[in-house]
Amino acid sequence: MPSLLATGPQALAGAVELAVSSRSLLRGRSTHAQIIKSLYPLPLPSFLSNHLINMYAKLDLPSPAFLLLSLDPYPSVVSFTALISGAAQNNRPLLALNLFPLLLRSSVRPNDFTLPSLLKAAACLGCPLAGLQLHTFSLKSGLLSDVFVTSAAVDMYHKTGLVSHARHLFDEMPHKNIVAWNAVMTNAVLDGFPEAAMEAFIRLRLAAENPNEVSFCAFLNACASVEYFRLGSQLHSFIIRIGFDTNVSVGNALVDFYGKCSSVVDARQVFDSLAIKNDVSWCSVIVVHAQNAEEEEAFRLYLATRREGFIPTDFMISSLLTTCSGLSGLELGRSLHAVAVRSCIDGNIFVGSALVDMYGKCGSIEEAEQVFELMPERNFVTWNAMVGGYAAQGNASMALKVFDEMTRRDEVKPNYVTLVSVMSACARGGRLKEGMELFEEMEERYGIKPRNEHYACVVDMLGRAGMEEKAYEIIKKMPMKPSVSVWGAILNACRIHGKEKLGRSAAEELFEIDPYDSGNHVLLSNIFASAGRWKESIEVRKEMKDIGIKKEPGCSWISWKNSVHVFQAKDSSHERNAEIQALLAELLQRMVAAGYTPDTRFALYELEDEEKESEVYQHSEKLALAFGLICIPHGIAIRINKNLRVCGDCHQAIKFISGIVGREIIVRDNVRFHRFKDYQCSCGDYW
């Protein structure tokens, strides 16, 4: 191999820079070895040493970079800046800041490239004191007149919480370049002030400054966060007019904006028009479909990304796992878990949190626990997901235990979602005392003011315990207008305990808020029907018909061999209906022998007793269960989903069936999970 020296210094430097641009450590080390071999026994020239320091620093290998720096008898500002910049870019802020005193002790004067990297490190660390000291140093050394140093200082003040300092410094800038404007806009969006970002964009245009891709992305993110569809669409027109629509970053921001404004068609048009699509493009469009109830299309696009050769990212997998949670697609979630392991991203905190959430919402709480325990670090999303998983199971004891561990460790502070999950678990698990104590002390202990969601949990908690009147008194004293969930909770309590009068009052409040919700009308009708007040029940149904409200049909579904089998009450259309009916008849005989009596209150029709018994025994969940028993091998849990609340008779019947056939049966209705085994349910008949 010919000596690299024969190609000249520029070629040597170019070979090193090529390793940086391609992020190829192997190529970089090979080039370094050839340089040493060609130069030996001569010392390494400073300009080549600087290139090598830059290469190792940018490739996140600070140790060899620092070794090269220490071997240079006369290190320059270029050497130090390369190492500081690399450390800041690779999320090593402490290393970057610790190099600054060493630079000064080496009698090296920092320049307008060094200070922005140091300010970025201070911002990343969230250390306002270090940022203030660097700002002071730049002011004393005369570097603050440089627009890039000032822009970095503005960004640093925003990210360290010193917003007033950032505004003052920005306003004093004699010339505001696009970097400074972008710092103001992006930080306004991150801090939750989208209107301030929009205002800054308008001021930017009035100052005759030309926006770039960062400016457009910030403005679109601001519009997306408050769903300003019209304003974002106007910006889209401006983007097309000035030719930025071909920019992949701007295109990705447009896809995200339209998706968050629920305009899936526009988002898809932008995505399809992109000449170049990167992994962010695919992630964005997958999330758009996933968040707008188009889960199948989201997974179809995911398969398309794999065919295109893209490697799954943490954001992509976590978004798809969230979709599995909504679908209750346990097997699909397990497949994505395997993909995450193969892609070495299962240790990522966002993927891990999504896995805990998915397993919890799919009813596999044991797998959620395993992922939770193996996570190297946890954030509040992780803890909330674990508490929420126990809440969905109605396991108040474990939810309270995890919450207690979370508050004891002091890793993260509970937020309002955490308290909603814990209080919901208390409501479903009958832990009235603990739930009420948490509600009464939440503002004092955790600094969280009760919201409608917390009041809904309290009303639900009291209502399930038969204290509807006390729950109603709390509603009347609420400092804000009660939401649908609050009135819905007391209406459900009235259904459980047969409180027709209070149920009518709660239903009327719900009809005012949302007159076209079929669920509230049906619930009121069922309250009257359960009490034998058929006339009132029929009147409610007639009102629904008169104003054009159609009841959502109850259905249950079960997955088997990559197919979803859907059943409705009295459904005889399934290809294996004869087998299903035969098994149900056999099970009924065995159940009656074991002491089961059909609860005809749940027939909800004015029929003869014998007809009522036949009616309740043809409910959709029983049909789905019979199919599961026929198809799913012994030893595998039978998992059934239902779009409505499981009725009391089906609940009782499935308890008997679980013991008779010796199977674990997991039913997820629109409220929670029920795990049936050995004649028992995990809810303890309290739901």
Side-chain angles (χ1 to χ4, degrees):
M1 183 176 179
S3 172
L4 283 174
L5 284 177
T7 61
Q10 294 302 323
L12 290 171
V16 176
E17 289 306 310
L18 184 62
V20 176
S21 61
S22 62
R23 298 199 64 82
S24 173
L25 179 60
L26 182 63
R27 177 179 287 173
R29 282 178 167 163
S30 177
T31 305
H32 188 181
Q34 288 297 324
I35 290 171
I36 293 171
K37 185 178 177 182
S38 301
L39 287 171
Y40 185 82
L42 299 173
L44 192 66
S46 290
F47 80 95
L48 280 178
S49 176
N50 292 340
H51 277 287
L52 288 167
I53 290 170
N54 179 63
M55 178 193 73
Y56 284 120
K58 293 290 192 299
L59 295 177
D60 198 22
L61 289 168
S63 296
F66 188 78
L67 180 62
L68 283 164
L69 179 72
S70 62
L71 291 173
D72 192 339
Y74 304 105
S76 66
V77 67
V78 177
S79 313
F80 278 101
T81 301
L83 187 48
I84 290 169
S85 174
Q89 287 176 20
N90 287 295
N91 199 29
R92 294 180 183 270
L94 274 175
L95 174 61
L97 292 173
N98 286 334
L99 286 165
F100 185 52
L102 180 62
L103 176 149
L104 297 176
R105 285 197 297 271
S106 302
S107 302
V108 176
R109 179 183 172 84
N111 61 17
D112 52 353
F113 291 99
T114 318
L115 262 300
S117 294
L118 288 165
L119 288 163
K120 180 181 178 179
C124 181
L125 199 61
C127 182
L129 181 60
L132 282 164
Q133 290 173 335
L134 288 166
H135 183 192
T136 304
F137 179 87
S138 62
L139 190 64
K140 287 181 178 179
S141 58
L143 288 169
L144 199 61
S145 58
D146 182 89
V147 68
F148 291 101
V149 174
T150 311
S151 299
V154 169
D155 184 62
M156 177 274 298
Y157 280 129
H158 272 292
K159 285 186 168 62
T160 54
L162 300 175
V163 180
S164 59
H165 287 60
R167 288 174 182 163
H168 183 71
L169 183 59
F170 179 77
D171 291 338
E172 284 191 340
M173 289 179 71
H175 171 65
K176 301 174 179 66
N177 68 351
I178 191 62
V179 177
W181 285 108
N182 288 344
V184 170
M185 287 189 288
T186 53
N187 282 291
V189 174
L190 291 171
D191 293 339
F193 300 105
E195 287 84 1
M198 298 174 198
E199 182 188 343
F201 185 87
I202 294 166
R203 287 168 60 200
L204 175 153
R205 294 295 297 143
L206 292 172
E209 189 71 53
N210 291 319
N212 62 11
E213 62 184 73
V214 178
S215 320
F216 289 129
C217 291
F219 190 91
L220 287 166
N221 287 338
C223 291
S225 65
V226 286
E227 297 185 17
Y228 282 179
F229 179 80
R230 188 176 176 185
L231 190 59
S233 299
Q234 289 173 341
L235 182 71
H236 189 184
S237 300
F238 177 68
I239 287 168
I240 293 170
R241 196 164 72 246
I242 65 172
F244 260 92
D245 54 316
T246 57
N247 183 285
V248 67
S249 297
V250 175
N252 295 341
L254 282 165
V255 171
D256 178 67
F257 158 71
Y258 282 122
K260 286 178 178 170
C261 292
S262 303
S263 183
V264 180
V265 173
D266 289 320
R268 192 58 186 269
Q269 284 179 348
V270 173
F271 174 78
D272 291 338
S273 69
L274 289 173
I276 299 172
K277 299 178 178 72
N278 58 15
D279 56 348
V280 178
S281 313
W282 287 101
C283 283
S284 299
V285 76
I286 286 170
V287 171
V288 166
H289 287 284
Q291 292 180 347
N292 286 279
E294 295 185 5
E295 292 87 357
E296 287 187 17
E297 183 62 15
F299 279 101
R300 193 191 68 78
L301 285 164
Y302 165 68
L303 294 174
T305 66
R306 302 308 304 271
R307 286 194 297 270
E308 291 284 331
F310 285 98
I311 297 171
T313 63
D314 52 355
F315 182 67
M316 184 186 295
I317 295 298
S318 57
S319 300
L320 287 165
L321 285 166
T322 304
T323 302
C324 292
S325 303
L327 288 171
S328 192
L330 180 60
E331 292 306 318
L332 206 53
R334 284 171 174 161
S335 299
L336 287 170
H337 190 176
V339 171
V341 172
R342 287 200 304 271
S343 303
C344 299
I345 55 174
D346 55 313
N348 178 278
I349 192 167
F350 301 109
V351 174
S353 300
L355 282 167
V356 173
D357 182 62
M358 181 274 296
Y359 281 125
K361 287 179 178 174
C362 289
S364 184
I365 199 69
E366 295 85 2
E367 288 175 283
E369 290 169 340
Q370 287 174 5
V371 175
F372 182 80
E373 292 298 332
L374 290 172
M375 287 182 68
E377 60 174 327
R378 303 169 187 141
N379 58 13
F380 70 90
V381 177
T382 319
W383 288 97
N384 288 353
M386 196 67 248
V387 174
Y390 286 122
Q393 300 273 340
N395 192 336
S397 298
M398 285 305 299
L400 288 165
K401 183 180 177 182
V402 171
F403 176 67
D404 184 54
E405 185 183 352
M406 177 186 181
T407 52
R408 265 201 340 269
R409 287 195 178 192
D410 205 29
E411 290 177 3
V412 292
K413 292 182 179 179
N415 62 2
Y416 86 96
V417 177
T418 317
L419 300 187
V420 169
S421 296
V422 177
M423 291 166 67
S424 175
C426 290
R428 293 169 184 175
R431 302 291 284 268
L432 180 63
K433 180 184 175 184
E434 293 89 339
M436 291 303 298
E437 282 178 2
L438 183 60
F439 175 71
E440 289 163 1
E441 298 173 4
M442 60 185 286
E443 190 168 358
E444 183 182 342
R445 289 183 64 181
Y446 306 109
I448 300 170
K449 289 185 177 182
R451 302 189 187 185
N452 257 306
E453 297 92 331
H454 302 105
Y455 278 101
C457 289
V458 169
V459 171
D460 189 31
M461 207 182 306
L462 292 167
R464 289 172 190 267
M467 303 168 70
E468 298 87 357
E469 298 299 334
K470 185 176 179 180
Y472 188 56
E473 289 301 315
I474 287 176
I475 291 174
K476 290 195 288 187
K477 294 176 183 177
M478 282 176 64
M480 74 283 289
K481 187 178 179 180
S483 65
V484 169
S485 57
V486 174
W487 289 115
I490 198 162
L491 181 60
N492 185 56
C494 293
R495 179 198 58 76
I496 295 170
H497 299 288
K499 303 284 186 178
E500 301 99 12
K501 186 178 178 181
L502 183 56
R504 167 64 88 175
S505 300
E508 285 173 355
E509 293 287 347
L510 284 165
F511 296 161
E512 248 185 68
I513 299 170
D514 188 357
Y516 297 102
D517 185 346
S518 64
N520 300 324
H521 290 82
V522 171
L523 203 53
L524 180 61
S525 173
N526 291 351
I527 290 172
F528 289 132
S530 296
R533 295 170 61 177
W534 298 106
K535 184 179 178 182
E536 289 94 330
S537 176
I538 292 167
E539 282 177 2
V540 174
R541 300 272 177 171
K542 187 176 180 299
E543 284 175 19
M544 289 176 64
K545 188 176 180 180
D546 291 343
I547 59 177
I549 299 173
K550 289 186 177 179
K551 175 186 177 294
E552 180 186 6
C555 65
S556 300
W557 62 96
I558 185 169
S559 298
W560 175 242
K561 288 189 174 179
N562 298 322
S563 295
V564 178
H565 299 262
V566 183
F567 298 87
Q568 291 187 356
K570 299 186 288 185
D571 190 352
S572 59
S573 61
H574 197 275
E575 59 185 12
R576 304 188 72 168
N577 182 60
E579 294 174 78
I580 290 169
Q581 295 301 329
L583 180 58
L584 283 175
E586 179 193 334
L587 287 171
L588 179 58
Q589 290 181 353
R590 296 174 68 183
M591 288 161 60
V592 170
Y596 164 76
T597 304
D599 192 339
T600 56
R601 291 178 304 162
F602 296 96
L604 303 179
Y605 291 100
E606 196 171 9
L607 303 168
E608 296 298 325
D609 287 346
E610 188 176 334
E611 290 175 298
K612 284 183 178 181
E613 289 184 16
S614 175
E615 176 76 26
V616 296
Y617 211 64
Q618 291 295 317
H619 281 185
S620 63
E621 49 266 63
K622 294 189 180 84
L623 297 173
L625 174 56
F627 173 79
L629 290 169
I630 292 167
C631 296
I632 298 174
H634 208 279
I636 300 175
I638 297 171
R639 297 176 181 273
I640 300 167
N641 293 279
K642 186 172 183 183
N643 64 334
L644 304 177
R645 185 181 183 275
V646 64
C647 84
D649 179 74
C650 288
H651 188 269
Q652 185 74 357
I654 297 172
K655 283 202 302 181
F656 273 93
I657 293 170
S658 71
I660 289 167
V661 299
R663 300 288 295 269
E664 182 180 17
I665 303 161
I666 300 170
V667 178
R668 181 189 182 181
D669 64 11
N670 66 345
V671 177
R672 56 166 293 163
F673 282 96
H674 297 268
R675 300 181 68 143
F676 300 91
K677 193 173 183 180
D678 298 328
Y679 298 95
Q680 300 295 323
C681 178
S682 58
C683 72
D685 296 336
Y686 190 91
W687 91 102

